[in-house]
Amino acid sequence: MSTAQNDPATTAEPVPRPLPRTVRLPPAARPYLPPLALYGAAKLTGLLVFAWLLAYAGDYRHKDPRFGGGAHWWDVLSTWDGWWYLQVARKGYHPGPLRPLPPGGQFSAEQNSVAFFPLYPGLIRAVSETTGIGLYGSAILVSVLSSFVAAAGVYAVISMLAGTRAGTIAAGLWAVVPAAGVEWAVYTESLFVAIAAWTCHAVLKRRWVTAGLLAFLSGLSRPTAAVLIGAVGLAALVTLLRRDSRREQGVAAPLYAAVAAPLGLLAYIAWVGWSMGGLGAYFALQREAWAHYFDFGAYTLDVLRNVAVGHGDYPFAYSVPDLIAVQMVVALPFLVALMLRKRPPLVLTAYTLASIVTILGTQQMFGNTPRYLLPVFPLLLAPAAAMARLKWPSLVVFFTTAAVASGWYAHYVIFELGIP
């Protein structure tokens, strides 16, 4: 017998390897799992139904790749406004004086990429250069990730006011509302709602520096950030005017939020004006090249009148999207009244009411009204609070049905039966 066989070192039991540690989320992140899971499941279901409808109809194969077409169904997600954002991400801006078009058309000036704000295409370019993913893939990645941040923000705000169950339901509702199809497309809605929801949350938590910084970023994402900026400024002003809140929160932080909030929006509008040779160049571009301008609700009233009698004598008439938009407009007074009964904080009330006035008071593509209303997430407060009383089997049936149906009314309608 060899000495090696009697060596204790060779006969000892092997030391067991430690089991791999399971990944554990921080305690603060765990409450967000249910709302994000519900949101993701509902969105994925709607997207799959949308893809099936596109394949079944096949119409997108015969459309211009810039205007709702493409070689594959997923190409549809980067058309219309998405095409412009990808152009900015690829080539940057090329501002110049307004170029008039021949009279007789819907637009009197040539469209220009400076109408599209820089934050979203900037993020697309940054992600693409950092990861090596193409611009289209980077755009979808930015939108999808932003949508989950937005859903988490919706949950955070609604749960503060109506409880975690209502917050979870609100995140799920945001996945299936009309026009939610743009949340996972090359559009800015997800990014803007992510910023808007967390800005409102920061105001509710009295984190004024955070609110000011986020509002500043919102001004670089889209022009409708003006309503969020105004809501933050109003909340900060009220805080400064009240002696008790001023004593509790100080003066510097609310004042910083009020001053910083509009700087992003003002800087971009000023740059466009300087680049195009006139302070009001951005608004002239919107009016003449996109037919978007504030008309105190004249266009909305005209559409409602025409749709009521079955006529299409108004610009940008698309029957199915317009009918869904009419239903949304009719529902708005009830949703607003129910929201106000919950006595939401000032920043949410101001943000919601100003958004609705801006949307209904502007001439723009009426069928896109549900898309313009996507950022007005406080309207989900009352429905989510009411649905929180339901048992989960009933909620499962509702969200399953809504998620499947959303593939048509929230995706296919806006991309294939209208212009998103």
Side-chain angles (χ1 to χ4, degrees), residues 64 335 407:
D64 190 309
L335 291 173

Side-chain angles (χ1 to χ4, degrees), residues 239-336:
T239 300
L240 292 172
L241 291 177
R242 290 177 177 171
R243 182 180 302 175
D244 54 344
S245 60
R246 191 168 62 243
R247 184 184 304 112
E248 179 184 352
Q249 302 176 49
V251 172
L255 183 61
Y256 168 84
V259 172
L263 294 182
L265 178 63
L266 294 176
Y268 185 71
I269 296 294
W271 176 80
V272 172
W274 178 79
S275 301
M276 299 186 70
L279 289 177
Y282 179 83
F283 304 102
L285 178 66
Q286 284 286 349
R287 184 183 186 98
E288 298 179 29
W290 268 272
H292 286 189
Y293 58 92
F294 193 79
D295 65 353
F296 298 92
Y299 175 71
T300 299
L301 181 60
D302 186 36
V303 174
L304 294 176
R305 233 173 4 204
N306 274 275
V307 172
V309 297
H311 292 176
D313 301 328
Y314 55 92
F316 314 117
Y318 293 91
S319 57
V320 177
D322 290 352
L323 187 58
I324 293 177
V326 166
Q327 294 172 347
M328 290 288 292
V329 171
V330 171
L332 279 178
F334 299 97
L335 291 173
V336 170

Side-chain angles (χ1 to χ4, degrees), residues 32 160 198-214 232 249 253-254 256-257:
Y32 292 92
M160 281 184 65
W198 286 107
T199 299
C200 293
H201 185 265
V203 173
L204 297 180
K205 289 287 190 178
R206 302 173 182 175
R207 296 168 182 161
W208 291 106
V209 174
T210 301
L213 288 172
L214 289 175
V232 171
Q249 302 176 49
Y256 168 84

Side-chain angles (χ1 to χ4, degrees), residues 20 23 38 44 72 83 172 181 184 192 195-196 203 214 216 220 224 249 282 293 307 340 352 363 371 392:
V23 177
L38 176 60
L44 182 60
H72 310 94
W83 182 88
W184 284 9
F192 179 70
I195 296 172
V203 173
L214 289 175
F216 169 84
L220 296 174
T224 53
Q249 302 176 49
Y282 179 83
Y293 58 92
V307 172
L340 294 178
T352 300
Q363 173 174 303
R371 176 166 79 86
W392 276 114

Side-chain angles (χ1 to χ4, degrees), residues 99-232:
R99 298 180 181 178
L101 294 175
Q106 286 184 322
F107 310 115
S108 59
E110 187 177 303
Q111 295 176 339
N112 190 299
S113 60
V114 296
F116 298 86
F117 276 49
L119 182 60
Y120 182 59
L123 288 173
I124 293 172
R125 183 65 176 265
V127 170
S128 179
E129 293 188 351
T130 302
T131 64
I133 302 174
L135 291 176
Y136 171 81
S138 298
I140 295 296
L141 181 61
V142 171
S143 291
V144 172
L145 292 179
S146 296
S147 76
F148 280 97
V149 176
V154 171
Y155 164 81
V157 172
I158 301 300
S159 63
M160 281 184 65
L161 306 176
T164 57
R165 189 180 178 90
T168 299
I169 292 170
L173 288 175
W174 194 66
V176 299
V177 292
V182 299
E183 294 169 13
W184 284 9
V186 188
Y187 274 73
T188 61
E189 269 67 24
S190 290
L191 178 61
F192 179 70
V193 175
I195 296 172
W198 286 107
T199 299
C200 293
H201 185 265
V203 173
L204 297 180
K205 289 287 190 178
R206 302 173 182 175
R207 296 168 182 161
W208 291 106
V209 174
T210 301
L213 288 172
L214 289 175
F216 169 84
L217 285 177
S218 75
L220 296 174
S221 66
R222 54 194 293 167
T224 53
V227 295
L228 177 65
I229 292 166
V232 171

